Amino acid sequence: MSSTIIPVLEIGGTHLTAALVESGTWAIDRPSLARVDLQAQGTAESLIEAIGVAADALTAAPGAIWSVAIPGPFDYATGVGRFENVGKFDSLNGVHVRNALMDRITPTPGMIHFLNDADAFGVGEYALGAARGHDRALCITLGTGVGSTFLNHGEPVGTGPTVSPDGSIHHEIYRGSPLEHTVSRRAIRAAYAAAAGMDPATGPDVHAIATRSRAGDDTARQVLDTAFGALGETLAMVLKRFDAGILVIGGSMARSWDLVEPAIRAGMTLEDRRLADFRIERAILPDDAALVGAAYWASRREDHGR
């Protein structure tokens, strides 16, 4: 597909980001960029309407190829929601979101492609960020939990013996429990509260725990080292299994790079000393990767007639 403008929607649990992206350069048209609140517990009709209002504001060309990054569970090929008892977008379970948006967006799109939001982040880092030029890469996001995408020449790999179940490392088991029981916002807050004798409900959030660690709070440092060290140990096995050449890390916790990266590397090295010098990079496009990745994905789908 020749250079064109791709309207992109990045849908999260509390917000929606919309922008126009130019294929080829993958540059975001900054004046078009908008972020609006989204009520994930709303009815299907209210959600489709809210998404449609944000989409209309992009004033895309008639017949444009659109791309939507959205969390799972979702049937990305057919555009049907599979949100059953997941706590967000439950009203879209079984809803043909593609058809609903094709009917709602003005002017009518030519096609709407869907991509998992974590995959969109990874593909964006492959197209224009830290994973660019790497045939096999693992890209993760550290936020509420651990998001991940395994990339083979820029294509997400979600199945097979070389990747985590469903292509998601949060399904990995660490010392007999799901990884997210050790590495997640909730787990880190709970661990610190327990160690400090505090109520988890009123204890500090992860960014505050990081601040305390830098200020000399040994409990905070130990909690973070334990959590991200566990992630490093898990990543060591995952990276070797996938034969990745680079690990790219984004998400809100990556802002504490001075604490996160050394702990992850220590855990990786503990598992396998040969990984002491493995390439770990911070995401270059922390805020834009999903938008760029969604546009890149849609462009590839059109190029290959998918």
Side-chain angles (χ1 to χ4, degrees):
M1 187 168 66
S2 60
S3 178
T4 188
I5 299 299
I6 301 174
V8 177
L9 303 174
E10 179 193 353
I11 298 175
T14 59
H15 70 279
L16 179 154
T17 304
L20 299 175
V21 181
E22 182 181 29
S23 68
T25 65
W26 311 115
I28 295 173
D29 176 47
R30 293 296 165 182
S32 73
L33 184 63
R35 182 183 172 100
V36 298
D37 292 337
L38 195 64
Q39 300 299 322
Q41 306 303 328
T43 64
E45 293 76 14
S46 67
L47 283 167
I48 294 299
E49 178 62 20
I51 296 169
V53 169
D56 290 350
L58 289 177
T59 61
I65 303 303
W66 286 68
S67 191
V68 177
I70 187 170
F74 194 89
D75 188 328
Y76 295 97
T78 64
V80 176
R82 300 298 182 202
F83 305 101
E84 185 174 9
N85 299 320
V86 295
K88 58 183 178 182
F89 303 131
D90 284 354
S91 66
L92 295 180
N93 184 40
V95 173
H96 203 303
V97 180
R98 175 182 284 132
N99 285 355
L101 290 179
M102 290 285 284
D103 290 340
R104 170 58 185 80
I105 295 173
T106 304
T108 303
M111 171 54 77
I112 303 176
H113 295 280
F114 292 87
L115 177 64
N116 176 269
D117 55 345
D119 287 344
F121 161 77
V123 173
E125 286 293 325
Y126 174 84
L128 208 61
R132 190 174 188 179
H134 292 270
D135 293 345
R136 296 178 75 81
L138 172 59
C139 301
I140 67 172
T141 54
L142 303 177
T144 304
V146 183
S148 60
T149 183
F150 295 79
L151 296 178
N152 181 15
H153 293 86
E155 290 286 324
V157 180
T159 59
T162 65
V163 303
S164 302
D166 294 328
S168 301
I169 68 169
H170 74 265
H171 290 309
E172 295 286 344
I173 301 299
Y174 176 75
R175 297 187 180 180
S177 298
L179 180 63
E180 62 186 11
H181 289 183
T182 303
V183 190
S184 64
R185 175 173 176 255
R186 181 175 58 183
I188 292 172
R189 292 189 67 193
Y192 182 81
M198 304 171 69
D199 181 351
T202 58
D205 212 334
V206 177
H207 70 277
I209 295 172
T211 299
R212 293 184 182 203
S213 176
R214 295 189 188 96
D217 184 331
D218 290 337
T219 299
R221 173 55 70 96
Q222 184 174 6
V223 165
L224 294 177
D225 283 350
T226 297
F228 294 115
L231 178 58
E233 290 182 54
T234 305
L235 284 169
M237 297 181 289
V238 170
L239 289 164
K240 288 187 294 182
R241 191 171 61 207
F242 187 61
D243 193 26
I246 188 172
L247 169 66
V248 178
I249 304 175
S252 58
M253 292 187 195
R255 295 170 188 155
S256 298
W257 190 251
D258 58 317
L259 303 175
V260 170
E261 190 272 344
I264 288 178
R265 188 175 293 280
M268 288 172 57
T269 305
L270 180 65
E271 175 64 28
D272 189 336
R273 293 182 179 180
R274 293 171 298 178
L275 296 175
D277 296 320
F278 188 85
R279 186 164 183 179
I280 303 175
E281 296 287 347
R282 189 175 181 178
I284 292 176
L285 309 170
D287 299 321
D288 296 342
L291 294 171
V292 170
Y296 185 89
W297 173 261
S299 180
R300 274 199 169 187
R301 304 281 78 70
E302 290 297 307
D303 283 347
H304 295 92
R306 301 178 190 177

mmCIF file of all heavy atoms in Angstrom, residues 28-59:
data_model
loop_
_atom_site.group_PDB
_atom_site.id
_atom_site.type_symbol
_atom_site.label_atom_id
_atom_site.label_comp_id
_atom_site.label_asym_id
_atom_site.label_seq_id
_atom_site.Cartn_x
_atom_site.Cartn_y
_atom_site.Cartn_z
ATOM 1 N N ILE A 28 2.986 10.517 13.491
ATOM 2 C CA ILE A 28 1.659 10.842 14.022
ATOM 3 C C ILE A 28 1.354 12.305 13.749
ATOM 4 O O ILE A 28 2.176 13.182 14.011
ATOM 5 C CB ILE A 28 1.604 10.556 15.527
ATOM 6 C CG1 ILE A 28 1.779 9.056 15.782
ATOM 7 C CG2 ILE A 28 0.287 11.048 16.131
ATOM 8 C CD1 ILE A 28 1.908 8.695 17.249
ATOM 9 N N ASP A 29 0.187 12.543 13.195
ATOM 10 C CA ASP A 29 -0.261 13.916 12.970
ATOM 11 C C ASP A 29 -0.682 14.496 14.329
ATOM 12 O O ASP A 29 -1.763 14.201 14.836
ATOM 13 C CB ASP A 29 -1.445 13.925 11.996
ATOM 14 C CG ASP A 29 -2.021 15.324 11.807
ATOM 15 O OD1 ASP A 29 -1.243 16.262 11.605
ATOM 16 O OD2 ASP A 29 -3.262 15.457 11.898
ATOM 17 N N ARG A 30 0.209 15.295 14.922
ATOM 18 C CA ARG A 30 -0.005 15.762 16.296
ATOM 19 C C ARG A 30 -1.300 16.558 16.474
ATOM 20 O O ARG A 30 -1.984 16.405 17.498
ATOM 21 C CB ARG A 30 1.201 16.593 16.755
ATOM 22 C CG ARG A 30 2.484 15.759 16.895
ATOM 23 C CD ARG A 30 2.354 14.708 17.977
ATOM 24 N NE ARG A 30 3.410 13.691 17.890
ATOM 25 C CZ ARG A 30 3.505 12.647 18.690
ATOM 26 N NH1 ARG A 30 2.590 12.461 19.627
ATOM 27 N NH2 ARG A 30 4.477 11.776 18.537
ATOM 28 N N PRO A 31 -1.680 17.422 15.534
ATOM 29 C CA PRO A 31 -2.947 18.142 15.732
ATOM 30 C C PRO A 31 -4.163 17.219 15.825
ATOM 31 O O PRO A 31 -5.179 17.581 16.425
ATOM 32 C CB PRO A 31 -3.027 19.055 14.506
ATOM 33 C CG PRO A 31 -1.602 19.270 14.112
ATOM 34 C CD PRO A 31 -0.935 17.957 14.372
ATOM 35 N N SER A 32 -4.059 16.032 15.236
ATOM 36 C CA SER A 32 -5.198 15.102 15.265
ATOM 37 C C SER A 32 -5.248 14.293 16.545
ATOM 38 O O SER A 32 -6.279 13.687 16.874
ATOM 39 C CB SER A 32 -5.118 14.137 14.076
ATOM 40 O OG SER A 32 -4.087 13.164 14.264
ATOM 41 N N LEU A 33 -4.147 14.264 17.296
ATOM 42 C CA LEU A 33 -4.033 13.403 18.474
ATOM 43 C C LEU A 33 -4.982 13.858 19.581
ATOM 44 O O LEU A 33 -4.972 15.021 19.992
ATOM 45 C CB LEU A 33 -2.592 13.417 18.989
ATOM 46 C CG LEU A 33 -2.251 12.498 20.173
ATOM 47 C CD1 LEU A 33 -2.446 11.035 19.795
ATOM 48 C CD2 LEU A 33 -0.807 12.749 20.611
ATOM 49 N N ALA A 34 -5.811 12.946 20.059
ATOM 50 C CA ALA A 34 -6.773 13.279 21.119
ATOM 51 C C ALA A 34 -6.924 12.090 22.056
ATOM 52 O O ALA A 34 -6.908 10.929 21.632
ATOM 53 C CB ALA A 34 -8.127 13.648 20.526
ATOM 54 N N ARG A 35 -7.059 12.382 23.327
ATOM 55 C CA ARG A 35 -7.277 11.353 24.346
ATOM 56 C C ARG A 35 -8.551 11.701 25.101
ATOM 57 O O ARG A 35 -8.691 12.810 25.617
ATOM 58 C CB ARG A 35 -6.080 11.292 25.303
ATOM 59 C CG ARG A 35 -6.179 10.217 26.384
ATOM 60 C CD ARG A 35 -4.966 10.321 27.295
ATOM 61 N NE ARG A 35 -5.051 9.452 28.465
ATOM 62 C CZ ARG A 35 -4.439 8.281 28.586
ATOM 63 N NH1 ARG A 35 -3.675 7.840 27.595
ATOM 64 N NH2 ARG A 35 -4.549 7.557 29.672
ATOM 65 N N VAL A 36 -9.479 10.761 25.147
ATOM 66 C CA VAL A 36 -10.769 11.012 25.803
ATOM 67 C C VAL A 36 -11.063 9.886 26.791
ATOM 68 O O VAL A 36 -10.568 8.763 26.652
ATOM 69 C CB VAL A 36 -11.908 11.109 24.765
ATOM 70 C CG1 VAL A 36 -11.675 12.273 23.808
ATOM 71 C CG2 VAL A 36 -12.040 9.805 23.974
ATOM 72 N N ASP A 37 -11.863 10.204 27.793
ATOM 73 C CA ASP A 37 -12.257 9.200 28.785
ATOM 74 C C ASP A 37 -13.216 8.192 28.164
ATOM 75 O O ASP A 37 -14.006 8.521 27.276
ATOM 76 C CB ASP A 37 -12.922 9.874 29.982
ATOM 77 C CG ASP A 37 -11.955 10.716 30.796
ATOM 78 O OD1 ASP A 37 -10.735 10.449 30.717
ATOM 79 O OD2 ASP A 37 -12.412 11.639 31.482
ATOM 80 N N LEU A 38 -13.141 6.966 28.667
ATOM 81 C CA LEU A 38 -14.009 5.898 28.184
ATOM 82 C C LEU A 38 -14.489 5.094 29.389
ATOM 83 O O LEU A 38 -13.697 4.724 30.255
ATOM 84 C CB LEU A 38 -13.236 4.988 27.221
ATOM 85 C CG LEU A 38 -14.030 4.024 26.347
ATOM 86 C CD1 LEU A 38 -14.930 4.786 25.382
ATOM 87 C CD2 LEU A 38 -13.078 3.115 25.567
ATOM 88 N N GLN A 39 -15.769 4.840 29.450
ATOM 89 C CA GLN A 39 -16.358 4.098 30.563
ATOM 90 C C GLN A 39 -16.478 2.625 30.170
ATOM 91 O O GLN A 39 -17.406 2.240 29.462
ATOM 92 C CB GLN A 39 -17.730 4.676 30.923
ATOM 93 C CG GLN A 39 -17.695 6.137 31.350
ATOM 94 C CD GLN A 39 -16.848 6.354 32.589
ATOM 95 O OE1 GLN A 39 -16.853 5.534 33.510
ATOM 96 N NE2 GLN A 39 -16.107 7.452 32.615
ATOM 97 N N ALA A 40 -15.526 1.817 30.639
ATOM 98 C CA ALA A 40 -15.484 0.411 30.239
ATOM 99 C C ALA A 40 -16.688 -0.375 30.725
ATOM 100 O O ALA A 40 -16.969 -1.461 30.203
ATOM 101 C CB ALA A 40 -14.196 -0.243 30.758
ATOM 102 N N GLN A 41 -17.406 0.149 31.720
ATOM 103 C CA GLN A 41 -18.565 -0.568 32.249
ATOM 104 C C GLN A 41 -19.872 -0.147 31.562
ATOM 105 O O GLN A 41 -20.952 -0.592 31.963
ATOM 106 C CB GLN A 41 -18.689 -0.321 33.760
ATOM 107 C CG GLN A 41 -17.428 -0.643 34.548
ATOM 108 C CD GLN A 41 -16.962 -2.073 34.365
ATOM 109 O OE1 GLN A 41 -17.775 -2.967 34.179
ATOM 110 N NE2 GLN A 41 -15.660 -2.287 34.388
ATOM 111 N N GLY A 42 -19.773 0.699 30.543
ATOM 112 C CA GLY A 42 -20.969 1.184 29.866
ATOM 113 C C GLY A 42 -21.648 0.122 29.033
ATOM 114 O O GLY A 42 -21.137 -0.981 28.834
ATOM 115 N N THR A 43 -22.827 0.456 28.528
ATOM 116 C CA THR A 43 -23.542 -0.462 27.640
ATOM 117 C C THR A 43 -22.822 -0.547 26.303
ATOM 118 O O THR A 43 -21.991 0.301 25.964
ATOM 119 C CB THR A 43 -24.971 0.038 27.394
ATOM 120 O OG1 THR A 43 -24.910 1.297 26.695
ATOM 121 C CG2 THR A 43 -25.724 0.212 28.709
ATOM 122 N N ALA A 44 -23.153 -1.570 25.537
ATOM 123 C CA ALA A 44 -22.541 -1.716 24.215
ATOM 124 C C ALA A 44 -22.840 -0.490 23.359
ATOM 125 O O ALA A 44 -21.958 0.023 22.655
ATOM 126 C CB ALA A 44 -23.054 -2.981 23.540
ATOM 127 N N GLU A 45 -24.077 -0.011 23.428
ATOM 128 C CA GLU A 45 -24.466 1.146 22.614
ATOM 129 C C GLU A 45 -23.681 2.389 23.001
ATOM 130 O O GLU A 45 -23.210 3.141 22.128
ATOM 131 C CB GLU A 45 -25.970 1.410 22.767
ATOM 132 C CG GLU A 45 -26.871 0.340 22.183
ATOM 133 C CD GLU A 45 -26.955 -0.916 23.042
ATOM 134 O OE1 GLU A 45 -26.518 -0.872 24.230
ATOM 135 O OE2 GLU A 45 -27.466 -1.932 22.550
ATOM 136 N N SER A 46 -23.513 2.612 24.317
ATOM 137 C CA SER A 46 -22.797 3.809 24.764
ATOM 138 C C SER A 46 -21.318 3.730 24.416
ATOM 139 O O SER A 46 -20.696 4.737 24.076
ATOM 140 C CB SER A 46 -22.977 4.016 26.273
ATOM 141 O OG SER A 46 -22.347 2.989 27.018
ATOM 142 N N LEU A 47 -20.744 2.541 24.471
ATOM 143 C CA LEU A 47 -19.326 2.382 24.128
ATOM 144 C C LEU A 47 -19.094 2.605 22.638
ATOM 145 O O LEU A 47 -18.161 3.314 22.244
ATOM 146 C CB LEU A 47 -18.842 0.984 24.538
ATOM 147 C CG LEU A 47 -18.559 0.790 26.036
ATOM 148 C CD1 LEU A 47 -18.400 -0.686 26.360
ATOM 149 C CD2 LEU A 47 -17.317 1.570 26.440
ATOM 150 N N ILE A 48 -19.926 1.998 21.817
ATOM 151 C CA ILE A 48 -19.791 2.185 20.367
ATOM 152 C C ILE A 48 -19.980 3.661 20.008
ATOM 153 O O ILE A 48 -19.255 4.214 19.170
ATOM 154 C CB ILE A 48 -20.803 1.307 19.602
ATOM 155 C CG1 ILE A 48 -20.471 -0.182 19.798
ATOM 156 C CG2 ILE A 48 -20.792 1.663 18.108
ATOM 157 C CD1 ILE A 48 -19.117 -0.613 19.294
ATOM 158 N N GLU A 49 -20.921 4.325 20.675
ATOM 159 C CA GLU A 49 -21.157 5.742 20.403
ATOM 160 C C GLU A 49 -19.945 6.581 20.819
ATOM 161 O O GLU A 49 -19.526 7.480 20.076
ATOM 162 C CB GLU A 49 -22.404 6.224 21.139
ATOM 163 C CG GLU A 49 -22.708 7.708 20.959
ATOM 164 C CD GLU A 49 -22.980 8.115 19.521
ATOM 165 O OE1 GLU A 49 -23.307 7.230 18.685
ATOM 166 O OE2 GLU A 49 -22.855 9.324 19.217
ATOM 167 N N ALA A 50 -19.383 6.309 21.993
ATOM 168 C CA ALA A 50 -18.214 7.067 22.459
ATOM 169 C C ALA A 50 -17.028 6.868 21.526
ATOM 170 O O ALA A 50 -16.301 7.825 21.200
ATOM 171 C CB ALA A 50 -17.853 6.642 23.884
ATOM 172 N N ILE A 51 -16.823 5.628 21.101
ATOM 173 C CA ILE A 51 -15.730 5.349 20.167
ATOM 174 C C ILE A 51 -15.998 6.052 18.834
ATOM 175 O O ILE A 51 -15.098 6.634 18.213
ATOM 176 C CB ILE A 51 -15.571 3.831 19.955
ATOM 177 C CG1 ILE A 51 -15.154 3.155 21.272
ATOM 178 C CG2 ILE A 51 -14.540 3.539 18.867
ATOM 179 C CD1 ILE A 51 -15.235 1.640 21.240
ATOM 180 N N GLY A 52 -17.245 6.017 18.395
ATOM 181 C CA GLY A 52 -17.612 6.653 17.136
ATOM 182 C C GLY A 52 -17.411 8.156 17.162
ATOM 183 O O GLY A 52 -16.953 8.747 16.172
ATOM 184 N N VAL A 53 -17.741 8.807 18.268
ATOM 185 C CA VAL A 53 -17.555 10.250 18.382
ATOM 186 C C VAL A 53 -16.070 10.605 18.252
ATOM 187 O O VAL A 53 -15.697 11.545 17.540
ATOM 188 C CB VAL A 53 -18.118 10.763 19.725
ATOM 189 C CG1 VAL A 53 -17.684 12.201 19.981
ATOM 190 C CG2 VAL A 53 -19.639 10.663 19.736
ATOM 191 N N ALA A 54 -15.213 9.845 18.938
ATOM 192 C CA ALA A 54 -13.769 10.092 18.846
ATOM 193 C C ALA A 54 -13.256 9.836 17.427
ATOM 194 O O ALA A 54 -12.398 10.557 16.920
ATOM 195 C CB ALA A 54 -13.029 9.206 19.840
ATOM 196 N N ALA A 55 -13.802 8.794 16.792
ATOM 197 C CA ALA A 55 -13.387 8.469 15.425
ATOM 198 C C ALA A 55 -13.805 9.560 14.448
ATOM 199 O O ALA A 55 -13.026 9.977 13.581
ATOM 200 C CB ALA A 55 -13.985 7.129 15.010
ATOM 201 N N ASP A 56 -15.037 10.051 14.576
ATOM 202 C CA ASP A 56 -15.520 11.095 13.677
ATOM 203 C C ASP A 56 -14.662 12.356 13.753
ATOM 204 O O ASP A 56 -14.474 13.061 12.757
ATOM 205 C CB ASP A 56 -16.973 11.455 14.007
ATOM 206 C CG ASP A 56 -17.952 10.354 13.633
ATOM 207 O OD1 ASP A 56 -17.542 9.398 12.954
ATOM 208 O OD2 ASP A 56 -19.133 10.457 14.040
ATOM 209 N N ALA A 57 -14.130 12.630 14.952
ATOM 210 C CA ALA A 57 -13.324 13.835 15.151
ATOM 211 C C ALA A 57 -12.026 13.802 14.353
ATOM 212 O O ALA A 57 -11.407 14.855 14.118
ATOM 213 C CB ALA A 57 -13.022 14.022 16.639
ATOM 214 N N LEU A 58 -11.613 12.614 13.911
ATOM 215 C CA LEU A 58 -10.388 12.520 13.109
ATOM 216 C C LEU A 58 -10.599 13.009 11.674
ATOM 217 O O LEU A 58 -9.634 13.237 10.951
ATOM 218 C CB LEU A 58 -9.884 11.069 13.084
ATOM 219 C CG LEU A 58 -9.299 10.534 14.400
ATOM 220 C CD1 LEU A 58 -8.918 9.063 14.243
ATOM 221 C CD2 LEU A 58 -8.084 11.348 14.828
ATOM 222 N N THR A 59 -11.857 13.134 11.251
ATOM 223 C CA THR A 59 -12.202 13.556 9.889
ATOM 224 C C THR A 59 -11.378 12.801 8.851
ATOM 225 O O THR A 59 -10.689 13.382 8.020
ATOM 226 C CB THR A 59 -12.018 15.078 9.715
ATOM 227 O OG1 THR A 59 -10.641 15.430 9.956
ATOM 228 C CG2 THR A 59 -12.915 15.853 10.662
#
